[in-house]
Amino acid sequence: MTIKRVPLTGDQAAAEAMRQIEPDVLAAYPITPQTEIVMTFSQFVADGRVKTEMIPVESEHSAMSACVGAASAGARTMTATSANGLALMWEIVYIAASTRLPIVMPVVNRALSGPINIHCDHSDTMGARDSGWLQVYCENAQEVYESIISAVRIAEHPEILLPIMVCQDGFITSHAVEGLEIFDDQKVKAFIGEYKPRFSLLDTDNPVTVGPLDLQDYYFEHKRQQSEAMEKALSIIPSVLGKFNKAFNRNYGLVESYKLDDAEVAVVVMSSTAGTAKAAVDNLRAKGLKVGLLRPRFFRPFPKKVIVQALSNLKAVSALDRSESFSTQGGPLFVELKSALYESDRQPLLNNHIFGLGGRDIDVGEIEDVFKDLIKVAKNNKVERLVNYLGVR
Amino acid sequence: MDELIEIRWHGRGGQGAKTAAQFLAEAALEEGKYIQAFPEYGPERAGAPMRAYTRISNQPIKIHSAIRSPRAVVVIDPTLATSLVLEGLGKDGLLIINSSDSPDELRKRLNYKGGKLATVDANRISLEAVGREMPNTPMLGALLKVFPVVSMEAIEKQVRAKFLKKIGEEKTEANIQAVRRAHSEVKLG
C-alpha cells in the first residue's frame, strides 16, 4: 500500500499535530519563524476545527504566564515560540518547570539577537537547557509532527510531569515544504488519551496552593525532585516512545544511530544538519570509509548512557554544535558529550565543530571534510585543535 | 529517476519563485516522489533578488542545505540573467531563462559553456494570456519541456488546485494556457 503524503512545512506540521492533539488551552504570541504555527492553528480555531481556548496574548512573557495558569487549572496546555520570544518568557519558563506543569511547546530554533538575525541556530533553546524543561530536537518536518504527538504523553507521564520543548530548525525545517504522512485524527487522540491532571486549581473538593513562597525550608527538596524527574525521564521516555513506535510503526529512541556499528569515526549532531551529515556518511561509505553518525534526539535529559555506549568503539568523534556557549571550551553538545565520556574507560578522541550560527548554510562537502579530518585524528592518535569553527570566514 | 534532482530558481521578491518551486515539488509529490521546496530567505523585500529550491527524488531526502550544484536553473526575471545564475551548474546543466532574446544571444552574453540553454518570453506570454506579467507559472511549462521531471498534467493540476478558489475558473484557465504556451514556445539552444 502506498502511503499518502501531503505537502507541509515544518511549521504547518507542528500546527497539524496541535490540531489533532486539540489542547484545552493555547496561549501564544507570533514570532518569526514560529509565526506560521500560530497562524495556522488560529485558522483551525476560527474554522471551528478545534475547541481549544486560544488566548492571543500581548507578549511571550504573558503567553507562558497564561500557560502556567491554564496548566495549573488542569488544562492540557500548549504554546510555541522562537529565539527572542523564548528569551522574553524566560522568567516563567523556569516557573513552568518547577511547578511541574506538562506544557508542550514547539520551538522553532532561531539565533538570539544580537546582532539581530532571524535565521537558525540553537542559541535560544541551548540557553534554556538548565531551565528544567525536557528538550527534543527534530531532523525534519515528519519528526516534528510525530515528536509533538509523543511529547504530550512524555510530559504528562505521572512519573515525569515536566514541560517539553519540541525543537525544529528555523526556516530550514519550519519553512521548507516536504511530503508528510499524517495519522488519522482518531488514532492520535487514542494515543494521547484524556489528560487527567493530578492536581487542579478548579478541583475545589481537593484544594491546592500553586506557586507559594518556598524558602530555605523546601526549595532545595523541590529542586531535587525536579532532578529526579529528569533522571526517571531517561528510562520512561524510551517506554513511551516504544508505545508510540508500536502504534505508528516507527523507530524512535532517545538517540538515533546511523551506520555506527562498524564505524571508526563519527560525528554527533542534532536536528536538520544530521540529515545533511547522513548524506556525507553515505558518500564516504561509498568510498569504503568507515564513518557513522549519532544524533541525540533528546538533549534534556541528556541520554548519557546510550551515548557513551554508542560511541565506545570509535576512534575519533566530533560534536557539531549549532550554538556557542562562550565557555572557551566548546559548544553545549560538545561539553555534555565530553563530560559523559569522562566516566567511560573507553574514550574516543574528541573534538568540536561550531557551525551554522545565524543560519550560515552547511553542506555535505563541509561535513565530509570533518570526517576526513577525524580520520587523520584517529590515524595520528592526536587532536590538533579542540574547538573548531566550520564555515566561518 | 533514482538520483536526486536539484533545481534552483532565481526571481525577485514577489514574483512567485517560491510558489513555482513549490508547485513543481507538489506535482512530483502527487506522482509519488519525495520532495523538498524552500526559499532562501534573506532580507524579505519585494523586488530584491531571491532564490528558491526544489528537490525531487525516489528516495527520502536527507539533505537540508541550500542547493549548490543544481541540475537545472530557472531564471524568472530577465534582469537577473547574469553570470550569477551559472553558479554550480555543471557540464550537463540546464539553464532556462525568461527572455525575449534567443538562446544564442544569452549564451554569448553569459559566456555559458555548459549544457543546454533555453529561453522563453514568459513576460509577454503571461501579459497576453493572463493580462499581467506573472512569469513564474509559465516558466514551469518551459522547464518541463527541457527537463520533464513531472508531467504537464501534474503541473496543470497544481495550478488549477491552487488558483481556482482564489481567482475563479476563467483566470485559472488563462494561467494554464500561459503554462502551455511557454511549454510550446520555449526555444532551445
Side-chain angles (χ1 to χ4, degrees):
Chain A
M1 193 189 86
T2 50
I3 293 158
K4 169 82 181 155
R5 285 174 288 121
V6 295
L8 293 176
T9 64
D11 272 356
Q12 290 166 341
E16 184 65 7
M18 289 155 84
R19 181 187 66 73
Q20 295 181 315
I21 292 163
E22 199 176 354
D24 300 310
V25 174
L26 183 131
Y29 189 82
I31 180 168
T32 304
Q34 157 267 34
T35 309
E36 214 183 355
I37 298 179
V38 182
M39 193 181 86
T40 310
F41 192 81
S42 308
Q43 193 68 51
F44 294 147
V45 175
D47 293 346
R49 297 181 69 189
V50 290
K51 293 190 208 79
T52 301
E53 172 89 28
M54 177 148 182
I55 313 174
V57 284
E58 73 280 12
S59 76
E60 285 85 356
H61 189 277
S62 302
M64 189 49 72
S65 298
C67 285
V68 165
S72 300
R76 183 174 266 161
T77 306
M78 296 183 79
T79 182
T81 196
S82 286
N84 297 37
L86 178 59
L88 186 55
M89 59 170 69
W90 206 258
E91 179 189 5
I92 318 299
V93 164
Y94 276 69
I95 293 171
S98 61
T99 314
R100 308 294 295 275
L101 302 171
I103 298 162
V104 177
M105 175 162 69
V107 180
V108 184
N109 283 120
R110 160 186 154 180
L112 272 176
S113 300
I116 191 161
N117 182 300
I118 57 168
H119 289 279
C120 176
D121 70 34
H122 296 170
S123 54
D124 49 3
T125 50
M126 278 300 158
R129 68 188 185 270
D130 297 343
S131 65
W133 284 58
L134 305 157
Q135 290 187 339
V136 57
Y137 290 79
C138 306
E139 183 178 317
N140 52 40
Q142 185 75 46
E143 189 178 337
V144 169
Y145 166 70
E146 295 175 5
S147 298
I148 292 172
I149 294 168
S150 56
V152 174
R153 279 197 56 179
I154 291 168
E156 291 174 2
H157 193 286
E159 298 284 312
I160 298 179
L161 281 182
L162 289 172
I164 182 166
M165 298 180 193
V166 184
C167 307
Q168 61 171 304
D169 280 350
F171 289 106
I172 300 163
T173 307
S174 69
H175 284 59
V177 176
E178 296 184 288
L180 263 72
E181 184 191 345
I182 299 299
F183 308 133
D184 286 343
D185 287 5
Q186 287 317 311
K187 220 175 153 190
V188 172
K189 287 189 196 303
F191 176 77
I192 60 168
E194 197 188 333
Y195 177 43
K196 294 188 187 99
R198 199 166 145 202
F199 302 105
S200 163
L201 285 174
L202 301 180
D203 181 5
T204 48
D205 293 336
N206 300 290
V208 288
T209 304
V210 172
L213 197 62
D214 192 20
L215 300 178
Q216 298 95 325
D217 48 359
Y218 272 113
Y219 180 92
F220 200 175
E221 281 69 29
H222 287 132
K223 285 292 150 187
R224 181 74 185 87
Q225 286 180 341
Q226 271 182 264
S227 195
E228 272 179 21
M230 273 288 175
E231 193 73 44
K232 279 184 193 159
L234 279 173
S235 58
I236 295 167
I237 290 169
S239 82
V240 176
L241 289 176
K243 288 180 184 116
F244 182 90
N245 292 340
K246 209 177 158 199
F248 299 104
N249 192 24
R250 290 294 185 264
N251 193 24
Y252 288 117
L254 289 164
V255 304
E256 182 199 0
S257 297
Y258 188 74
K259 303 191 178 175
L260 210 50
D261 283 349
D262 65 336
E264 290 174 358
V265 303
V267 296
V268 180
V269 59
M270 306 197 298
S271 298
S272 69
T273 312
T276 308
K278 284 175 186 170
V281 168
D282 292 347
N283 289 350
L284 297 177
R285 282 269 171 185
K287 291 177 183 163
L289 300 174
K290 290 187 172 172
V291 300
L293 175 151
L294 183 73
R295 179 172 72 91
R297 294 185 63 243
F298 279 82
F299 189 75
R300 282 292 179 268
F302 193 73
K304 49 188 181 285
K305 269 188 194 152
V306 281
I307 289 178
V308 167
Q309 174 79 29
L311 301 179
S312 62
N313 289 326
L314 292 158
K315 290 178 180 165
V317 170
S318 186
L320 310 190
D321 265 288
R322 201 164 197 149
S323 62
E324 171 62 284
S325 70
F326 303 112
S327 69
T328 74
Q329 49 173 2
L333 177 61
F334 174 65
V335 170
E336 293 281 350
L337 193 62
K338 204 170 149 194
S339 169
L341 284 164
Y342 186 79
E343 289 172 70
S344 169
D345 47 14
R346 284 197 294 177
Q347 296 170 341
L349 293 161
L350 210 58
N351 74 16
N352 185 207
H353 285 84
I354 291 174
F355 74 96
L357 303 191
R360 176 68 51 84
D361 192 36
I362 179 165
D363 75 356
V364 178
E366 286 172 290
I367 300 170
E368 284 182 19
D369 289 344
V370 170
F371 278 118
K372 285 171 191 161
D373 180 58
L374 278 176
I375 291 167
K376 225 177 282 169
V377 166
K379 196 179 154 204
N380 300 337
N381 198 27
K382 188 170 181 245
V383 175
E384 292 289 342
R385 201 166 159 176
L386 204 60
V387 184
N388 307 271
Y389 292 82
L390 191 59
V392 76
R393 288 193 297 265
Chain B
M1 201 178 69
D2 255 358
E3 92 266 45
L4 177 65
I5 291 172
E6 297 184 311
I7 298 167
R8 189 173 68 216
W9 302 79
H10 292 264
R12 291 186 179 277
Q15 270 181 337
K18 178 189 165 190
T19 306
Q22 198 170 326
F23 276 20
L24 181 66
E26 292 192 23
L29 180 67
E30 281 283 324
E31 293 186 346
K33 303 286 195 284
Y34 290 88
I35 56 124
Q36 272 180 6
F38 54 103
E40 189 168 274
Y41 285 96
E44 294 167 55
R45 291 166 309 194
M50 57 88 65
R51 296 168 175 207
Y53 304 97
T54 307
R55 282 196 175 99
I56 299 171
S57 176
N58 280 333
Q59 305 298 323
I61 300 167
K62 295 173 189 143
I63 304 175
H64 290 281
S65 53
I67 292 172
R68 302 198 190 173
S69 308
R71 178 71 204 289
V73 169
V74 185
V75 182
I76 292 176
D77 189 290
T79 64
L80 293 176
T82 68
S83 59
L84 285 176
V85 303
L86 304 180
E87 198 183 298
L89 261 183
K91 276 182 195 152
D92 61 348
L94 308 167
L95 181 56
I96 301 101
I97 301 173
N98 172 16
S99 171
S100 54
D101 296 337
S102 73
D104 283 350
E105 282 171 286
L106 271 159
R107 195 177 272 278
K108 248 179 255 161
R109 202 187 310 155
L110 296 175
N111 194 22
Y112 178 52
K113 297 186 175 73
K116 293 179 188 170
L117 193 154
T119 63
V120 65
D121 194 349
N123 279 7
R124 180 180 52 78
I125 290 172
S126 60
L127 197 60
E128 286 172 7
V130 187
R132 66 189 187 108
E133 278 182 12
M134 209 56 213
N136 64 335
T137 41
M139 288 310 286
L140 281 164
L143 168 72
L144 292 189
K145 184 64 168 276
V146 183
F147 194 30
V149 280
V150 299
S151 67
M152 275 294 279
E153 291 74 36
I155 279 295
E156 289 176 16
K157 209 175 139 192
Q158 279 299 317
V159 173
R160 176 163 288 280
K162 296 279 160 54
F163 283 2
L164 196 59
K165 247 189 183 172
K166 277 189 191 163
I167 59 174
E169 177 65 40
E170 198 183 329
K171 283 184 181 164
T172 300
E173 199 47 48
N175 271 281
I176 291 172
Q177 281 309 322
V179 176
R180 286 183 189 156
R181 274 188 60 187
H183 187 75
S184 63
E185 289 179 27
V186 65
K187 286 173 280 190
L188 190 60

